[in-house]
Amino acid sequence: HRAGARPVILVTAGGGGDGHFLMEAYLHAQAQSTMRGYHSVIVTGPLMPADQKAALRALAADRDDVELVDYTTNLVPSLEAAHLVVAMAGYNTSAEIIAARQRAILVPRAAPRMEQRIRAQLLTRLGVVRSIEPGPDLVRDLAALLPVAVSAPPPSAAAWASLDLNGAGRVAEQLLEITSDRREYAA
């Protein structure tokens, strides 16, 4: 990265197939924002169409504080090193943010499914991320939230502790309960 000593804001949309809206909004928001001294690394993803990548490169052409990367085979070290992550709320990216206990702004896709929106809302309610609903005011909302998110302390240990990450154990308990109930019913 060309960040030098500047803190990094990592912007990612997983594979990138539907992330252009977020990256374009981020570039406009970051240009309007009052925050300075940050280096932005935008990972467009291998699935982003070439014309959309070209449009982002044109937006960032004269900016020495922005670096566009087509893809990385291992996003985790970049995510862990970032000061802030701006991402969609895909399952893998959200899981990596949680595992790294990283401060983040999630901007879920609006369609065709609601799973990203539900995930972003739940994680926001728990206090481990901030989120913005996509829409016509996304650039304005992102420009307002970026300086807040970079200057705020990271999520507290208590917030992270509120996440129940023992899903496999809970599923096993429920399966045992179901099978136990069936055995009792059959007897």
Side-chain angles (χ1 to χ4, degrees):
H1 300 300
R2 300 183 319 235
R6 295 179 287 183
V8 171
I9 298 173
L10 176 68
V11 183
T12 180
D18 59 354
H20 181 263
F21 83 95
L22 171 61
M23 295 170 188
E24 180 181 51
Y26 174 82
L27 285 169
H28 287 297
Q30 201 252 0
Q32 293 176 14
S33 167
T34 58
M35 61 178 208
R36 297 292 173 257
Y38 289 88
H39 184 76
S40 299
V41 176
I42 301 174
V43 182
T44 58
L47 303 178
M48 182 174 285
D51 61 323
Q52 291 179 356
K53 286 182 185 181
L56 292 174
R57 290 195 189 292
L59 271 175
D62 298 327
R63 310 252 320 255
D64 67 352
D65 62 340
V66 175
E67 181 179 353
L68 272 80
V69 178
D70 283 342
Y71 68 93
T72 177
T73 56
N74 186 3
L75 186 66
V76 173
S78 297
L79 188 138
E80 290 174 342
H83 182 75
L84 173 71
V85 178
V86 178
M88 294 173 69
Y91 178 83
N92 290 337
T93 302
S94 296
E96 290 166 350
I97 288 167
I98 290 167
R101 293 188 170 207
Q102 185 56 272
R103 74 180 85 198
I105 297 173
L106 297 181
V107 182
R109 80 164 66 94
R113 294 175 299 283
M114 295 290 291
E115 54 102 4
Q116 285 195 11
R117 180 174 282 161
I118 292 167
R119 187 176 298 114
Q121 289 171 349
L122 287 171
L123 293 172
T124 299
R125 208 169 18 242
L126 290 170
V128 295
V129 301
R130 289 171 162 70
S131 63
I132 299 174
E133 289 290 321
D137 296 325
L138 179 57
V139 171
R140 184 199 69 202
D141 294 345
L142 201 48
L145 188 54
L146 281 167
V148 172
V150 298
S151 63
S156 69
W160 289 114
S162 69
L163 277 171
D164 180 359
L165 300 177
N166 191 24
R170 284 189 292 109
V171 167
E173 288 171 8
Q174 289 181 354
L175 287 173
L176 285 171
E177 186 177 307
I178 290 169
T179 57
S180 175
D181 288 347
R182 286 192 178 157
R183 276 189 241 135
E184 289 174 16
Y185 179 75

